């Protein structure tokens, strides 16, 4: 069975406008610099064999960016963390790292994503979220593999909680579909009587399994 390095990264304010593709390229460069036993593709332009379970929306920060990196042999997790931390640019950090053998793909274990959302008007944010959650269904146009379609996004919000001037929400994120904070907030602002493009900030707290455990803990226990 192949050896894997499961990586959980943080993405901070200085790099929040870095796209997911840019982050992939950054991690490829960091892995080359740190000299870990990473498995590479064959051909003229070899790349580290990495899979990502869920892309983060542009402009958001995160405590839960995951990467599943294939290794050529076992490696010491502590040494991997030290080397990779030193190779990452400012704005990224290693929140957790483990080395596993075999096991399920991250996308198969993933069930939901937790976010902390804040806005200049915390009162309107909480009021709009409460009104949104009180509805039996909320239909919105959502992009998918087959193009845009009408989707009940209310069913994709599993839980919410007001916290200070913001809210935390648990959004659907599995192999069949995911709800982004951007699409949710357009509906929330409508409920609050504000323009759909009213600014907000979102930070992904983690990806979680169906039992509510951190995806990282789910991998370790798999």
């Amino acid at each position: 069975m192949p050896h894997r390095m499961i990586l959980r990264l943080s993405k901070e304010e200085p790099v929040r406008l870095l796209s997911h593709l840019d982050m992939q390229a950054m991690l490829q460069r960091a892995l080359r610099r740190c000299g870990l036993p990473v498995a590479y593709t064959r051909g003229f332009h070899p790349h580290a064999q990495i899979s990502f379970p869920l892309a983060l929306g542009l402009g958001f920060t995160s405590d839960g960016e995951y990467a599943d990196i294939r290794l050529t042999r076992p490696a010491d997790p502590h040494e991997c963390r030290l080397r990779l931390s030193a190779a990452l640019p400012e704005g990224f950090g290693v929140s957790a790292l483990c080395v596993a053998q075999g096991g399920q793909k991250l996308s198969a274990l993933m069930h939901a994503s937790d976010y902390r959302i804040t806005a200049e008007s915390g009162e309107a944010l909480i009021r709009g979220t409460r009104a949104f959650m009180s509805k039996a269904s909320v239909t919105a146009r959502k992009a998918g593999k087959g193009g845009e379609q009408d989707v009940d996004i209310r069913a994709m919000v599993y839980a919410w909680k007001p916290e200070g001037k913001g809210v935390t929400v648990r959004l659907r994120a599995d192999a069949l579909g995911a709800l982004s904070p951007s699409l949710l907030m357009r509906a929330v602002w409508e409920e609050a009587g504000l323009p759909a493009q009213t600014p907000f900030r979102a930070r992904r707290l983690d990806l979680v399994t169906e039992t509510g455990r951190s995806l990282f803990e789910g991998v370790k226990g798999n």
Side-chain angles (χ1 to χ4, degrees):
M1 289 188 291
H3 290 86
R4 311 155 64 195
M5 180 169 66
I6 308 301
L7 180 64
R8 179 181 170 185
L9 291 171
S10 60
K11 183 181 182 184
E12 304 301 337
E13 197 67 23
V15 291
R16 71 180 183 86
L17 295 178
L18 200 70
S19 72
H20 182 66
L21 287 177
D22 288 335
M23 194 187 82
Q24 290 182 20
M26 174 279 299
L27 188 54
Q28 289 279 350
R29 291 191 296 269
L31 288 170
R32 286 188 181 278
R33 287 195 296 268
C34 65
L36 297 175
V38 175
Y40 283 84
T41 59
R42 298 180 181 274
F44 291 107
H45 302 286
H47 286 78
Q49 296 184 33
I50 311 175
S51 62
F52 300 86
L54 185 66
L56 182 70
L58 188 66
F60 302 151
T61 58
S62 179
D63 286 315
E65 293 307 284
Y66 283 84
D68 190 341
I69 304 163
R70 187 164 182 172
L71 302 177
T72 58
R73 57 176 172 79
D76 177 67
H78 180 68
E79 182 181 357
C80 290
R81 182 166 186 165
L82 288 177
R83 288 194 187 186
L84 189 54
S85 295
L88 291 173
E90 181 182 359
F92 290 99
V94 179
S95 300
L97 184 152
C98 72
V99 174
Q101 187 174 16
Q104 288 182 279
K105 293 182 179 179
L106 297 181
S107 57
L109 290 169
M110 181 177 65
H111 173 71
S113 55
D114 289 345
Y115 284 89
R116 163 80 174 168
I117 300 176
T118 57
E120 185 173 334
S121 175
E123 180 182 342
L125 171 60
I126 293 171
R127 183 178 71 249
T129 307
R130 181 176 286 113
F132 173 89
M133 294 299 292
S134 71
K135 293 180 175 291
S137 66
V138 177
T139 301
R141 296 289 289 175
K142 185 178 183 299
K145 292 182 179 179
E148 287 194 348
Q149 56 183 328
D150 291 331
V151 174
D152 179 11
I153 63 171
R154 171 61 189 86
M156 301 178 78
V157 184
Y158 297 145
W160 84 287
K161 181 172 64 174
E163 287 191 355
K165 295 183 179 181
V167 298
T168 57
V169 291
R170 176 161 290 181
L171 310 181
R172 177 181 172 179
D174 57 37
L176 298 178
L179 177 62
S180 72
S182 298
L183 185 55
L184 168 65
M185 287 305 298
R186 285 200 284 272
V188 166
W189 289 139
E190 182 177 348
E191 294 293 337
L194 294 175
Q197 300 306 317
T198 299
F200 69 95
R201 289 291 182 92
R203 183 175 184 86
R204 182 189 284 168
L205 304 177
D206 205 354
L207 300 178
V208 298
T209 67
E210 192 168 4
T211 60
R213 290 195 302 169
S214 167
L215 188 61
F216 186 78
E217 295 302 321
V219 172
K220 289 175 64 179
N222 187 242

